[in-house]
Amino acid sequence: MSETNIGKIGVIGGTGALGSAIARRLAKAGRTVIVGSRTLESAASAAETLGFGITGLANEDAAATADIVIVTVPFAAQGDTLRQIAPHLTGKIVVDTTVPLVPPKVMRVQLPPEGSAAVRAQGILGDGVTVVSAFHNVAAHKLIKDEDVACDVLVFGDDKAARTKVISLVRDCALRGLHGGALVNSAAAEAMTSLLIFINKTYAVDGAGLQITGTLTEPAD
């Protein structure tokens, strides 16, 4: 059963492909969702298009209003976006979905000096914010549709309770969320995205995903 004590969810960069898909699925599952964008007008327009009672606000207002914040911006915009909304994030869980893709060589793994985009996010936001990372390997163009997506979502973070809440949100998106361990482990999923892009191109796949095999037993709380 999904966690109920999560409150409002702000999706920063929610007008982009991944942000829109996550926001729509969460709202459809009954969550209270706010999409954020650089401008109020863009956010409001996206919210109206997505429906399901989603609200649109400028990024800073979305971050301030939300109880949990999901950041869905490109790697090039990650630092500036996090610094902009940082004053509104103290004491909150921030779900970072950033994959460190550096065009034009997006099929090559190019992790940042910090080791991963997630660790970079934690460094920018500081100890007063709990960073969890997720949604790295799911194809946004599939997630936006009302169909099953054959992809597991690995969830990383140093706080197990925070990871569990994010896994609840993943399940609301009709995906299987799995604990991936400490935040530093996020490097594995972030790197995998470049590999999946390579596989998509090499084998003409429409959005390859990642699934963990075997019979899994849910961990104890």
Side-chain angles (χ1 to χ4, degrees):
M1 182 177 292
S2 296
E3 294 269 352
T4 57
N5 59 336
I6 285 179
K8 298 177 181 178
I9 303 161
V11 184
I12 306 303
T15 57
L18 181 60
S20 294
I22 292 173
R24 183 178 183 276
R25 289 217 171 197
L26 289 175
K28 186 179 178 183
R31 297 292 187 185
T32 301
V33 179
I34 306 156
V35 293
S37 185
R38 285 177 293 180
T39 67
L40 173 60
E41 293 76 16
S42 177
S45 176
E48 183 177 1
T49 299
L50 291 170
F52 296 104
I54 295 173
T55 302
L57 294 174
N59 279 335
E60 288 189 73
D61 293 329
T65 304
D67 299 292
I68 289 183
V69 174
I70 304 175
V71 179
T72 61
V73 298
F75 180 59
Q78 183 198 32
D80 287 345
T81 301
L82 291 176
R83 292 183 188 95
Q84 179 191 35
I85 65 175
H88 310 290
L89 300 179
T90 302
K92 297 180 181 181
I93 295 172
V94 171
V95 184
D96 189 85
T97 70
T98 309
V99 174
L101 299 178
V102 184
K105 298 180 179 180
V106 296
M107 290 185 289
R108 294 188 180 185
V109 176
Q110 301 181 75
L111 296 174
E114 295 87 349
S116 70
V119 171
R120 181 173 185 253
Q122 185 69 77
I124 292 171
L125 296 176
D127 294 338
V129 178
T130 301
V131 174
V132 175
S133 70
F135 294 106
H136 305 98
N137 306 135
V138 59
H141 72 279
K142 289 192 170 185
L143 196 60
I144 195 68
K145 300 175 183 177
D146 292 321
E147 59 185 45
D148 292 337
V149 181
C151 183
D152 291 333
V153 174
L154 299 177
V155 180
F156 307 93
D158 297 332
D159 185 315
K160 184 179 178 182
R163 289 201 314 260
T164 299
K165 284 190 175 183
V166 176
I167 286 173
S168 176
L169 296 181
V170 172
R171 290 172 178 169
D172 283 342
C173 290
L175 298 166
R176 185 170 71 162
L178 300 174
H179 288 277
L183 194 65
V184 294
N185 291 355
S186 181
E190 293 176 27
M192 182 61 69
T193 301
S194 291
L195 176 57
L196 291 174
I197 293 172
F198 176 84
I199 290 172
N200 288 338
K201 181 176 181 180
T202 303
Y203 296 97
V205 183
D206 182 28
L210 178 70
Q211 288 188 308
I212 306 301
T213 62
T215 302
L216 305 184
T217 301
E218 287 294 318
D221 292 336

